[in-house]
């Protein structure tokens, strides 16, 4: 489906696909699919002002009623699931199943947020003073700035947006410059959900299109009390520092360098399937992508052999075609970074299987690659970095302690997994001395998290949590209130004054 057909199916004016200078191209074949208008600094200022006004109104709407708006939005996502999935495929290059899976993730978080809208619980606390009560209330925060990456061009926004909106906030979304159409489509459906909905103010949700300067302007603006940013560690380091400088809050969802440990007791069938999905799914461009494998030395030859067989049979190609499992990389730069990582691995003594460009005759302007496996003898420096491509470093280990130490030795701390049928190994991996990541799985791979859990990671991954569990608290401000219903004024800590 072309971008124009997709916009038409969503009821979006396709004049907007040609009304600007910013060129959007599809990673499928490199062809131009749109020229969109970016926001000027003046336009951004106007949107910020509207967002402040929208917040002032929206925070007074009861939370369950706010949830009702998200219910309507979720219904539109259900209706347009296939079309939205096709747009993700066109603009980000995901295979159809993964594009639709991303829309499903949005639908799921809508359902979660609707339920949450009746569960924004605070606590009541026993007061130390007679005839006093003590309670905690969660209040709306303000305009929430969402900065998102190309690889989840809709779902990451939805994780933030649906929670932020039921929590009573307004939204300003700066999507990746590589995927503005996905953002325009979500924004359009959100506006449709708002149409005729009593109490939903204009400007409740807005998209700002722009590059780095737009992100910086949002990060620096005191009118935006929370910035939720997804992207590289380098980006997060800058955004986090700028937001902290003005005492804003941030939720940072940065790079991952996720590992799977395969012990001698593992079910290798499961392990191989999980590793392949984790390493080559989304062409290795998820923050949760499996980038390293540590396998117990005695099973290492069998696992390497089976991984090589699986890699040799991978259907690589047009992500729209049924049967394709590996689509294109996002652009030439991603390909150059992959090549660089493989080059360094070879220089450092790694044995590289796969890698390199394929289908270049058919798609001279797109970047399809053979996913790469690297068998590492010793240390491979590049395995400490996140190369956003299907590059998997495999190492053999002797003891589980050694495997856990190696897994934890990288700067990032997002996702991790162990494949074992031994309960002691599993529990050691999950213990305080085990995996240091925000996500730790047993017999489940590193990617493909459900929305019900809190999603995010430690260390250079940024420490933020989004999506399920109590992540909603990040989008609200906490107020502690002490209420005196006595005729006296007793002071806390038993202090007598006067
Ligand atoms: C991301 O890559 O930024 O766990 C998010 C997963 C997805 C989300 C990834 N549910 O792989």
């Amino acid at each position: 489906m072309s971008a124009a057909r997709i916009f038409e199916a969503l009821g979006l004016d396709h004049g907007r696909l040609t009304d600007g200078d910013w060129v959007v191209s599809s990673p499928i074949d490199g062809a131009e699919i749109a020229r969109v208008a970016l926001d000027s600094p003046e336009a951004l200022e106007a949107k910020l002002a509207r967002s402040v006004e929208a917040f002032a109104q929206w925070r007074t709407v009861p939370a369950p009623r706010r949830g009702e708006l998200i219910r309507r939005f979720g219904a539109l996502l259900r209706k347009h699931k296939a079309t939205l999935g096709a747009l993700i495929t066109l603009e980000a290059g995901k295979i159809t199943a993964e594009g639709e899976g991303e829309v499903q993730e949005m639908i799921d978080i809508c359902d979660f947020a609707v339920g949450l809208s009746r569960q924004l619980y605070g606590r009541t606390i026993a007061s130390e003073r007679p005839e006093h009560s003590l309670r905690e209330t969660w209040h709306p925060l303000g305009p929430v700035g969402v900065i998102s990456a190309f690889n989840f061009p809709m779902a990451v926004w939805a994780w933030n947006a649906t929670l932020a909106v039921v929590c009573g906030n307004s939204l300003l979304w700066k999507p990746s410059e590589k995927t503005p159409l996905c953002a325009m489509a979500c924004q359009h459906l959100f506006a449709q959900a708002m149409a005729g909905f009593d109490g939903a103010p204009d400007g409740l949700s807005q998209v700002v299109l722009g590059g780095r300067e737009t992100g910086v302007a949002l990060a620096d603006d005191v009118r935006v009390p929370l910035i939720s940013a997804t992207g590289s560690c380098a980006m997060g380091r800058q955004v986090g520092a700028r937001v902290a400088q003005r005492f804003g809050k941030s939720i940072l969802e940065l790079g991952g360098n996720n590992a799977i440990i395969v012990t001698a007791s593992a079910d290798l069938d499961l392990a191989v399937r999980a590793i392949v999905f984790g390493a080559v799914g989304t062409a290795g461009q998820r923050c949760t992508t499996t980038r390293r494998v540590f396998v117990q030395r005695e099973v290492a030859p069998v696992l390497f052999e089976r991984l090589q067989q699986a890699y040799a049979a991978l259907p690589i190609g047009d992500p729209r075609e049924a049967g394709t499992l590996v689509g294109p990389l996002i652009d030439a730069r991603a390909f150059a970074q992959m090549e660089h990582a493989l080059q360094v691995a070879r220089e450092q003594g790694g044995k590289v299987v796969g890698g390199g460009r394929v289908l270049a005759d058919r798609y001279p302007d797109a970047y399809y690659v053979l996913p790469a496996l690297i068998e590492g003898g010793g240390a491979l420096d590049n395995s400490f970095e996140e190369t956003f491509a299907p590059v998997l470093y495999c190492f053999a280990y002797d003891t589980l302690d050694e495997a856990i130490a190696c897994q934890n030795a990288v700067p990032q701390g997002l996702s991790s997994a162990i494949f074992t049928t031994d309960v002691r190994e599993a529990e050691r991996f999950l213990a305080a001395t085990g995996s240091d990541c925000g996500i730790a799985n047993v017999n489940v791979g590193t990617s493909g998290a459900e929305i019900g859990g809190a999603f995010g990671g430690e260390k250079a991954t940024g420490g933020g949590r989004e999506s399920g569990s109590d992540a909603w608290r990040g989008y609200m401000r906490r107020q502690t209130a002490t209420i005196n219903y006595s005729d006296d004024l007793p002071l806390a800590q038993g202090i007598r004054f006067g």
Side-chain angles (χ1 to χ4, degrees):
M1 246 198 283
S2 69
R5 282 271 307 281
I6 291 171
F7 267 39
E8 222 164 85
L10 296 172
L12 234 163
D13 170 14
H14 50 79
R16 295 192 51 203
L17 291 169
T18 48
D19 67 358
D21 303 324
W22 181 257
V23 177
V24 187
S25 48
S26 171
I28 297 174
D29 53 10
E32 181 177 317
I33 51 174
R35 277 179 190 242
V36 299
L38 300 185
D39 284 279
S40 63
E42 297 72 37
L44 172 62
E45 174 52 38
K47 287 183 178 180
L48 271 161
R50 278 176 82 203
S51 199
V52 171
E53 272 170 42
F55 168 67
Q57 206 178 315
W58 188 239
R59 65 182 167 179
T60 66
V61 173
R65 173 85 185 137
R66 302 194 293 246
E68 190 57 35
L69 176 63
I70 298 300
R71 185 202 305 282
R72 287 165 66 133
F73 179 54
L76 290 169
L77 295 178
R78 278 189 167 83
K79 181 172 159 204
H80 295 290
K81 181 173 169 179
T83 311
L84 292 169
L87 182 55
I88 294 172
T89 297
L90 184 67
E91 208 179 20
K94 288 192 187 189
I95 62 169
T96 302
E98 290 193 70
E100 290 184 7
E102 173 160 356
V103 183
Q104 187 59 46
E105 203 161 351
M106 291 205 281
I107 294 168
D108 295 341
I109 196 70
C110 284
D111 287 353
F112 181 93
V114 173
L116 176 69
S117 70
R118 291 181 183 269
Q119 298 175 79
L120 300 172
Y121 302 139
R123 299 169 198 250
T124 56
I125 300 143
S127 169
E128 66 188 53
R129 287 172 274 190
E131 297 181 275
H132 279 58
S133 65
L134 192 50
R135 73 164 188 243
E136 223 169 55
T137 308
W138 293 89
H139 288 305
L141 195 60
V144 171
V146 180
I147 298 174
S148 64
F150 79 86
N151 67 326
F152 273 80
M154 293 187 187
V156 164
W157 167 75
W159 290 356
N160 287 283
T162 56
L163 300 196
V165 164
V166 301
C167 289
N169 304 310
S170 54
L171 296 166
L172 274 167
W173 178 16
K174 189 203 109 45
S176 161
E177 301 102 290
K178 293 173 186 144
T179 53
L181 305 187
C182 283
M184 288 158 76
C186 290
Q187 171 65 18
H188 170 72
L189 293 182
F190 198 88
Q192 219 169 300
M194 279 182 34
F197 186 89
D198 213 22
D202 230 33
L204 177 58
S205 168
Q206 298 176 91
V207 169
V208 276
L209 298 182
R212 187 179 176 277
E213 335 67 61
T214 309
V216 166
L218 283 175
D220 285 344
D221 203 302
V222 287
R223 289 170 293 180
V224 186
L226 171 66
I227 296 287
S228 177
T230 301
S232 67
C233 296
M235 179 280 289
R237 198 166 267 126
Q238 294 187 31
V239 169
R242 298 191 91 105
V243 176
Q245 193 65 33
R246 59 164 174 98
F247 302 109
K249 299 215 271 179
S250 57
I251 295 175
L252 299 176
E253 214 64 77
L254 312 175
N257 193 346
N258 319 295
I260 293 183
I261 295 175
V262 182
T263 74
S265 76
D267 179 331
L268 287 187
D269 290 337
L270 294 193
V272 168
R273 282 165 58 192
I275 293 167
V276 174
F277 173 68
V280 312
T282 328
Q285 301 169 113
R286 287 195 196 204
C287 59
T288 50
T289 289
T290 308
R291 307 201 176 276
R292 298 174 297 146
V293 165
F294 296 97
V295 53
Q296 220 280 326
R297 199 170 302 280
E298 66 196 64
V299 286
V302 188
L303 186 78
F304 290 154
E305 176 63 31
R306 293 193 52 184
L307 283 176
Q308 283 183 34
Q309 278 168 9
Y311 269 51
L314 284 172
I316 304 164
D318 188 322
R320 294 166 298 196
E321 278 165 22
T324 298
L325 290 183
V326 185
L329 291 178
I330 189 72
D331 56 17
R333 191 160 162 256
F335 175 63
Q337 283 166 345
M338 177 170 177
E339 289 281 274
H340 174 74
L342 299 184
Q343 172 72 19
V344 172
R346 281 191 196 98
E347 281 163 14
Q348 295 184 338
K351 189 178 141 211
V352 179
V353 182
R357 202 166 161 195
V358 293
L359 304 172
D361 295 348
R362 194 167 151 205
Y363 302 108
D365 299 317
Y367 295 88
Y368 293 83
V369 292
L370 210 53
L373 281 169
I374 302 170
E375 223 179 293
L380 294 176
D381 294 347
N382 247 36
S383 68
F384 280 66
E385 279 162 39
E386 180 190 45
T387 302
F388 228 49
V391 175
L392 182 68
Y393 297 85
C394 305
F395 303 95
Y397 74 83
D398 294 304
T399 67
L400 184 55
D401 285 344
E402 176 197 343
I404 291 172
C406 290
Q407 180 209 273
N408 292 347
V410 294
Q412 311 85 346
L414 179 55
S415 186
S416 60
I418 190 168
F419 277 75
T420 175
T421 55
D422 180 336
V423 70
R424 287 172 301 184
E425 289 175 338
E427 292 289 346
R428 273 171 68 196
F429 179 73
L430 300 177
T433 49
S435 167
D436 65 1
C437 294
I439 297 171
N441 296 331
V442 176
N443 296 329
V444 169
T446 59
S447 66
E450 302 175 18
I451 59 97
F455 181 89
E458 303 298 329
K459 304 192 295 185
T461 302
R465 290 297 185 277
E466 287 173 348
S467 196
S469 185
D470 62 354
W472 61 270
R473 292 181 175 183
Y475 303 83
M476 303 200 86
R477 64 182 170 87
R478 182 199 309 245
Q479 186 167 72
T480 305
T482 310
I483 300 127
N484 176 7
Y485 55 94
S486 76
D487 302 325
D488 199 2
L489 192 70
L491 299 176
Q493 295 86 46
I495 290 175
R496 299 205 173 275
F497 194 77

